[in-house]
Amino acid sequence: MLWKTMRHSDPEWFHFAFRGEVCLGSFVLIDDRLITVTVAGHRRTMELGSTPPLALAEQIAVELLSTPH
């Protein structure tokens, strides 16, 4: 199983603003090349680019809450 060979960081908790409220989310880094963001029960994994992980996590979190599920 591939997931057993991947290195995961400990979860990093962060606060971000969304529509005038402060929300809580978390992210983990996978093999220093992927980021998985979890917020309000929704999760998304993306490749890390040149954006710092926290800034990317905040951007993904806002997108997760903005997208109808």
Side-chain angles (χ1 to χ4, degrees):
M1 294 184 191
L2 182 60
W3 64 270
K4 288 186 177 182
T5 63
M6 297 181 148
R7 292 183 327 260
H8 293 76
S9 69
D10 290 332
E12 295 283 337
W13 294 93
F14 65 98
H15 292 92
F16 64 99
F18 181 73
R19 295 186 181 163
E21 295 185 29
V22 176
C23 301
L24 180 65
S26 68
F27 69 90
V28 294
L29 300 178
I30 305 165
D31 285 343
D32 295 326
R33 63 182 184 88
L34 299 172
I35 185 170
T36 298
V37 177
T38 304
V39 62
H42 302 288
R43 182 177 297 165
R44 182 175 296 160
T45 300
M46 296 181 67
E47 284 188 59
L48 281 171
S50 59
T51 306
L54 180 56
L56 183 57
E58 291 172 343
Q59 176 185 344
I60 294 168
V62 169
E63 289 173 8
L64 281 170
L65 294 179
S66 298
T67 306
H69 299 279

